[in-house]
Amino acid sequence: MKKIIYLTILLSCSIIYISCNKDESYNLNRPAAPRELTATKGDTSVFLKWDKVPDAPYYVLVRGLSVIADSLIGESYEDAFAPDTLVEYRIYAKNEKGWRSSKYASAEGYSGLPDGTLPRAPIAVTASTTNYEGCVLEWKGGRFAQTFSIYRGTELIAKDLVGNTFTDYKAAVGVQSAYRVFSVNSNGTSLTAATAVGKKSYYFLDTYEDLPLSSVIAPWTFRADRMAYYTEGKPEITAQTVFEGKQALLLKTGKIQLLCDWGGSLKQGHYKIGLMVKRSGGGFWMIPNVNDMGGRTEHLTNTEEWTHYNYSVGLINAGVKFNLKVEPYGEGPTYIDNFAIEYISPKAISE
C-alpha cells in the first residue's frame, strides 16, 4: 500500500515538473513586452511611440483587429491611414526567432479632420464586366472620406454611400460605362475622382463564334449551365451574313428554341430574351413559354436589315423554366445572331 502511494506521489510530481519545464521553455522563447505606448493625434496622422525592448529588434503593431506593421524597426511609427474615430493600438515585441511577446502595451488614438480639409479621392477603383446582376464597383482609400458619391457618365447614381463597394443594377448589358467615385466629408467633395470602366454581363449570350463553321446545332444542344437549344431543320453556323463578329446562325427551314430549363432560373428576378434577326422573305413567329403556361405569341414580318427582338418573362422566382421559340415560314433564309438572356434585378426596378 505504501509503495502504491509513493508511486502515485512520484508520478504526480513528475507531471508537474514536466509541465513547468514545458511552460518555462515556451516562455523563454518570447521577448518581454513594451511597457508603454503613446498615441498622439495629428491633423492627418496618428504618431505612435513606445519604449525600447533590449532583446527585441522588431515590433508588431496592431490597429483594432488588423496588423498594420509586422516587423517594425525602431520605437516610433506614423499611421497615415488612421481613422477619424477612436481606435485601440497594441504594440508587441518580436525577437530574431520570430517569437512575439505574450503581452503588449496599448493606447487609443485617432486622426483629426481639420476644418476646411476636403477628402482625398479614392484609389484602386475597379468595375466588373462579368457579373450578370449588375456592374460591381470596389475601391480603396479616400483619406478623410466619410461617405462616397458615384456617377455613371454625368448621372449621379449613388450618394451618401458608406463602405467601399456598390453594385449598379441599372448598368447596361454589353455596353461599357465610365464611372467616377468621389469622396465626401463635412467639408465637401474631393476635387478629383477615381475612375473605372465596366458593364453588366448577359445572363446568357450566344454569338456562335466558338463553333466550327458549317457545323449543325443538333436538338438538345447545351450551350451553358441550364441553357440548351431544341432545333428542327438543322440550323448551321455561317459566315455569309453576320450581325457582328465573324459567325452567325443560318436557319433555312424548321425552327430554333432557346430553353432555360433543367433547374430553371438561378435567381429571382426579371428575365429578357433577345436576339438579332435578318430574314430575306416570308415572316416568322416568336412563341414564348414561361413554366409551361405559354405566353404572348408575336407574328413578325420579314426584314432585310438586322433587327433586334426581345420578350420579357417578367418577375419570376428561382427555379422557374422559360423558353423562346423562333419559327420562320415562307421562302428565304433566316439569320440569327446574339441570342441572349438579360437578368434584371428586382432592385433595379425598385430603385
Side-chain angles (χ1 to χ4, degrees), residues 74-216:
E75 291 76 50
S76 63
Y77 182 80
E78 179 186 355
D79 184 7
F81 293 95
D84 52 16
T85 55
L86 202 62
V87 67
E88 181 190 25
Y89 290 91
R90 300 189 300 278
I91 189 74
Y92 296 84
K94 181 178 176 181
N95 62 20
E96 292 281 4
K97 296 181 179 180
W99 286 85
R100 193 178 70 175
S101 59
S102 58
K103 297 182 179 181
Y104 57 86
S106 65
E108 292 183 330
Y110 66 99
S111 65
L113 179 60
D115 291 340
T117 298
L118 294 177
R120 299 173 188 172
I123 58 174
V125 63
T126 60
S128 70
T129 59
T130 59
N131 190 307
Y132 69 82
E133 293 186 63
C135 182
V136 180
L137 301 169
E138 296 180 308
W139 60 90
K140 297 179 181 178
R143 181 76 170 137
F144 301 120
Q146 295 171 321
T147 60
F148 299 93
S149 294
I150 298 178
Y151 287 80
R152 186 200 313 114
T154 58
E155 180 186 1
L156 176 64
I157 61 172
K159 63 179 182 178
D160 301 326
L161 286 174
V162 178
N164 298 94
T165 184
F166 173 77
T167 300
D168 180 12
Y169 293 104
K170 295 183 179 180
V173 288
V175 179
Q176 298 272 17
S177 295
Y179 292 93
R180 294 178 295 154
V181 184
F182 288 89
S183 299
V184 182
N185 67 16
S186 56
N187 295 314
T189 302
S190 59
L191 298 177
T192 59
T195 61
V197 175
K199 64 181 180 179
K200 183 176 79 168
S201 71
Y202 283 96
Y203 178 78
F204 171 81
L205 174 64
D206 203 344
T207 62
Y208 311 107
E209 298 294 307
D210 61 319
L211 296 173
L213 190 63
S214 300
S215 62
V216 172

Side-chain angles (χ1 to χ4, degrees), residues 7 31 39 107 111 133 141-142 150 167 189 191 194 198 221 224 231 256 268 282 295 342 347:
L7 287 173
S111 65
E133 293 186 63
I150 298 178
T167 300
T189 302
L191 298 177
T221 296
T231 65
I256 185 168
Q268 183 192 52
E342 177 187 355
K347 295 180 181 179

Side-chain angles (χ1 to χ4, degrees), residues 34-57:
R35 290 175 300 184
E36 185 177 359
L37 174 67
T38 60
T40 304
K41 171 184 170 183
D43 286 344
T44 60
S45 305
V46 168
F47 299 93
L48 300 152
K49 290 185 178 181
W50 56 91
D51 57 306
K52 181 179 177 62
V53 177
D55 60 342

Side-chain angles (χ1 to χ4, degrees), residues 257 285-289 294-298 311 323-327:
Q257 189 173 10
W285 300 91
M286 282 182 54
I287 307 170
N289 192 353
R296 185 182 71 255
T297 299
E298 293 190 21
Y311 176 80
N323 64 74
L324 179 65
K325 179 166 58 179
V326 179
E327 190 170 0

